[in-house]
Amino acid sequence: MPGVINATNDFVVNSPTSTAPARPAPTSSSPSRSCAWAFPSPRATSSSNIQGLPTWFEVRVSGEGHLGRRGGVDLMVAMNPQTWDRDVAEIDAGGYLFYDSTRPLPRSRFREDINVIGVPLTEMCNAAYTDARQRQLFKNIMYVGALSALLQIDPGVVETLLSEAYKGKEKLAKSNRDAFHMGRDWALANLACPLGLRLERADKVGERIYVDGNSAAGLGAVYGGATVCAWYPITPSTSLAEGFEKYCRRFRTEPDTGKKRYAIVQAEDELASIGIVIGAAWNGARAFTATSGPGISLMQEFVGLSYFAEIPSVIFDVQRAGPSTGMPTRTQQSDVLAAAYASHGDTKHIVLFPEDPNECFQFGADAFDIADRFQQPVFVLLDLDIGMNDWLCEPFAWDDNRRMDRGKVMTAEELEAGKVFGRYLDADGDGIPYRTYPGTHPNKGAFFTRGTSRDRFAKYTEVGAAYVDNMQRLLQKFETAKGVVPHPILRRAAEPTRVGVIYYGSSSAAMQEALTALEAEGIQVDALRIRAFPFHRDVDAFIAEHDTVFVVEQNRDAQLRTLIMNECSIAPQQLIPVLHYDGTPITARFIRAAIGDKVLANKVLPFAGAAAE
């Protein structure tokens, strides 16, 4: 339901499938906060254990347009006895606890500083239904009905959603509507409705779309010209390959003949997957794989082949918490170094960091142009938060006049005319050689490749000078890429400042909110969002013009900070790490506290020449 609300109107709801954090909620005597259905931002947290361990679902409603996790819970729907203590502990002071009060609980199970709302859901279901399955299922609809009364949600909207969900099954639709109204009517008759938190209609979302990053990246791959996907299922990347297949069925199937113009191969493992991608790309197809951290570990040898033999490949890495199996259903930004330097020996790979599904689509397409142009692997680093959660974002844009950039590909006509072809010859100083597709010419061009040392004309050699010449050319190619990959985005503070922050990827949503909160406290911070590696010269310039630069990341070892220090020759003391790595998405509260507290503790000056207090 579209809408937006007044500034400062904002709350977070944790439901039976839910664990989350938010800003302080009002007490019973506080003025009510009216919130629209505008900018809903859901986050799912599930267990990877097949035993069916607890799962949480968090929804944030913000009139300010904030989409990241804020931190704190205003309204907790606590339906799982196993996680009761944890759920109750997460509620902000003055917030609300909604629970099934059929079974009385001792006072010690509650908190004095929150508002408790008990609804006898099990008792109501037992009275209304005899079937055990119905009692369980309809209890879930009943509590939605009770919440609609407590939050002042228009019941007609929920009825419409139920009708859409059970379209063509009117009996089921009616029974769900009845259960919804049963819960709503009980709440209206027995509780003080509405709460201090409430929802109201608005219509200011505009043309935004609601989509997850994996689906967006899969569609981006289609628009980018990919026709081959080789993959091995792994959480949380599986839905990216499935999304690509769904869109290929629609857009890459001939309408008249039904012939499929794409190939999707589920290989026996991740190493085989990237091998298939490299083979397809060597023959001219645009190919990719989708995986996560453990897959990247297994792909190392073939990634090195793609780099050294200079064959385009695209790897979508939907990051999760590691190392080893780690926490497969939790999010992190922990594959930055693994992607940047994948494989043994001296390697440097192009890495793209999308911030939301819109950029997943954009970078998902751009990655294939970049891979073809530079003839090497390109990693697109999503994470579980972007990839599997639904986001409200700007509609995808595409220029129908855009054509694929295949890079330096020598044609049969050029070969026949006698143009000098050296597979690893730098003809114009950018480090990028010409290539040919196998079979371009009957007896000229490239037909075979391998990952061993060679000279400029692909002749095998172990002469040191030839090896050094080749490695330096690869480095020059990487330098050329700095001006082509997506540039960083700068956000200047309202006032001049010598304090800066660098961030990337899914931290963006919480970062934007944290910057607003810091400014409200009088702390001015310039911000630079990095979107790609190799780093554009703007990164060096940004660091140079600030005395203090924070680097916000969702991993333990400050991997982006390490990469910046290594590539830009930055002294460690210039970059202050802000690290969040518990597997949940980073929150605005966490960032604001981490930066604000350090700035105040160190009396960091807002701008050069300012007098100390």
Side-chain angles (χ1 to χ4, degrees), residues 43-45 69 331 385 389 506 510 554 580 582-587:
R43 295 290 185 273
T45 304
R69 288 186 71 227
T331 193
D385 186 26
N389 284 319
S506 64
Q554 298 183 62
H580 175 92
D582 68 359
T584 62
I586 196 167
T587 68

Side-chain angles (χ1 to χ4, degrees), residues 443-461:
N443 51 34
K444 297 180 180 180
F447 287 81
F448 303 97
T449 192
R450 60 184 178 184
T452 49
S453 179
R454 65 284 168 136
D455 65 14
R456 297 176 182 180
F457 294 89
K459 182 180 179 181
Y460 173 75
T461 179

Side-chain angles (χ1 to χ4, degrees), residues 185-198:
D185 292 344
W186 190 95
L188 289 170
N190 295 277
L191 301 174
C193 300
L195 299 177
L197 304 174
R198 65 189 65 176

Side-chain angles (χ1 to χ4, degrees), residues 42 47 78 170 176 179 323 363 421 460 488-489 503 602:
S47 171
E170 181 51 36
N176 277 274
F363 292 178
F421 175 72
Y460 173 75
I489 293 179
Y503 63 103
N602 295 314

Side-chain angles (χ1 to χ4, degrees), residues 28-75:
S28 301
S29 58
S30 301
S32 66
R33 288 187 292 168
S34 296
C35 286
W37 282 94
F39 310 112
S41 179
R43 295 290 185 273
T45 304
S46 60
S47 171
S48 62
N49 193 299
I50 61 173
Q51 294 175 338
L53 295 178
T55 299
W56 292 266
F57 196 85
E58 173 187 330
V59 177
R60 180 182 184 186
V61 185
S62 167
E64 299 167 330
H66 299 310
L67 297 175
R69 288 186 71 227
R70 184 191 65 198
V73 175
D74 296 302
L75 171 59

Side-chain angles (χ1 to χ4, degrees), residues 510-530:
M511 188 74 241
Q512 295 303 317
E513 182 178 359
L515 289 170
T516 300
L518 288 166
E519 287 184 353
E521 297 174 20
I523 301 174
Q524 302 296 328
V525 182
D526 289 333
L528 189 74
R529 178 166 69 89
I530 289 179

Side-chain angles (χ1 to χ4, degrees), residues 271-548:
L271 183 61
S273 299
I274 189 62
I276 294 169
V277 168
I278 294 170
W282 168 250
N283 282 279
R286 287 194 154 182
F288 75 93
T289 188
T291 188
S292 191
I296 299 299
S297 297
L298 293 171
M299 293 178 184
Q300 297 278 315
E301 184 177 0
F302 270 156
V303 171
L305 173 65
S306 178
Y307 175 78
F308 198 59
E310 296 181 68
I311 302 170
S313 59
V314 173
I315 302 166
F316 291 96
D317 177 6
V318 189
Q319 300 167 95
R320 69 190 207 186
S324 187
T325 304
M327 294 192 292
T329 57
R330 300 294 192 271
T331 193
Q332 270 189 14
Q333 296 173 322
S334 53
D335 297 345
V336 176
L337 291 174
Y341 300 133
S343 192
H344 59 279
D346 294 323
T347 56
K348 290 186 179 183
H349 306 300
I350 295 171
V351 185
L352 308 182
F353 303 106
E355 71 164 344
D356 63 5
N358 184 284
E359 283 194 344
C360 288
F361 170 77
Q362 177 186 333
F363 292 178
D366 292 347
F368 293 93
D369 278 353
I370 296 171
D372 270 356
R373 183 167 176 177
F374 291 96
Q375 303 173 32
Q376 71 171 80
V378 173
F379 287 83
V380 184
L381 256 59
L382 295 75
D383 57 36
L384 184 147
D385 186 26
I386 299 177
M388 293 189 67
N389 284 319
D390 292 319
W391 291 71
L392 198 65
C393 66
E394 295 297 324
F396 304 154
W398 187 259
D399 181 359
D400 288 334
N401 294 318
R402 172 174 169 173
R403 294 295 178 264
M404 289 188 290
D405 180 358
R406 300 309 300 258
K408 294 181 176 180
V409 180
M410 198 170 288
T411 65
E413 292 75 19
E414 289 172 320
L415 291 168
E416 186 64 28
K419 187 172 181 178
V420 176
F421 175 72
R423 177 63 187 96
Y424 301 108
L425 173 66
D426 184 2
D428 49 21
D430 64 1
I432 307 170
Y434 277 89
R435 62 178 174 138
T436 63
Y437 302 132
T440 294
H441 189 280
N443 51 34
K444 297 180 180 180
F447 287 81
F448 303 97
T449 192
R450 60 184 178 184
T452 49
S453 179
R454 65 284 168 136
D455 65 14
R456 297 176 182 180
F457 294 89
K459 182 180 179 181
Y460 173 75
T461 179
E462 294 186 12
V463 174
Y467 174 80
V468 170
D469 176 70
N470 188 63
M471 294 299 288
Q472 285 300 116
R473 182 185 54 76
L474 289 170
L475 200 58
Q476 178 56 48
K477 183 168 68 169
F478 196 70
E479 286 296 312
T480 302
K482 291 182 179 180
V484 175
V485 297
H487 293 185
I489 293 179
L490 174 64
R491 178 191 186 274
R492 287 290 184 191
E495 300 175 12
T497 180
R498 299 291 291 179
V499 180
V501 61
I502 290 174
Y503 63 103
Y504 62 105
S506 64
S507 300
S508 179
M511 188 74 241
Q512 295 303 317
E513 182 178 359
L515 289 170
T516 300
L518 288 166
E519 287 184 353
E521 297 174 20
I523 301 174
Q524 302 296 328
V525 182
D526 289 333
L528 189 74
R529 178 166 69 89
I530 289 179
R531 300 198 296 164
F533 175 72
F535 302 126
H536 189 265
R537 61 179 178 273
D538 288 351
V539 176
D540 302 79
F542 181 84
I543 296 171
E545 68 182 30
H546 295 90
D547 296 330
T548 303

Side-chain angles (χ1 to χ4, degrees), residues 81-256:
Q82 290 177 290
T83 62
W84 175 272
D85 292 337
R86 173 181 173 181
D87 293 342
V88 172
E90 290 185 351
I91 305 171
D92 278 352
Y96 298 87
L97 170 66
F98 179 107
Y99 79 109
D100 182 354
S101 60
T102 299
R103 180 183 175 184
L105 294 174
R107 191 178 185 83
S108 60
R109 302 302 302 276
F110 302 98
R111 285 169 44 192
E112 296 293 335
D113 61 343
I114 62 174
N115 301 292
V116 178
I117 305 167
V119 179
L121 296 169
T122 300
E123 179 183 323
M124 293 163 61
C125 283
N126 290 343
Y129 306 102
T130 56
D131 181 77
R133 180 67 173 163
Q134 285 185 325
R135 287 175 172 175
Q136 182 62 38
L137 292 176
F138 287 126
K139 182 167 71 173
N140 292 332
I141 304 301
M142 282 185 183
Y143 90 72
V144 173
L147 286 178
S148 75
L150 292 166
L151 298 175
Q152 209 171 45
I153 299 173
D154 181 356
V157 173
V158 180
E159 289 179 349
T160 299
L161 291 173
L162 290 172
S163 296
E164 291 174 354
Y166 298 105
K167 187 175 182 180
K169 302 176 181 178
E170 181 51 36
K171 185 176 179 180
L172 275 174
K174 182 180 183 304
S175 59
N176 277 274
R177 287 195 298 269
D178 291 344
F180 168 78
H181 279 286
M182 200 179 305
R184 179 178 174 84
D185 292 344
W186 190 95
L188 289 170
N190 295 277
L191 301 174
C193 300
L195 299 177
L197 304 174
R198 65 189 65 176
L199 294 166
E200 62 183 23
R201 280 184 177 273
D203 189 15
K204 296 183 181 179
V205 170
E207 297 301 318
R208 295 192 184 196
I209 60 174
Y210 209 43
V211 65
D212 65 274
N214 281 353
S215 296
L219 182 60
V222 172
Y223 272 72
T227 56
V228 176
C229 170
W231 65 298
Y232 184 80
I234 182 172
T235 302
S237 71
T238 297
S239 60
L240 197 158
E242 292 173 342
F244 177 74
E245 182 178 18
K246 177 183 70 175
Y247 294 122
C248 279
R249 285 199 303 268
R250 179 176 177 184
F251 298 116
R252 296 217 187 288
T253 303
E254 293 183 353
D256 297 332

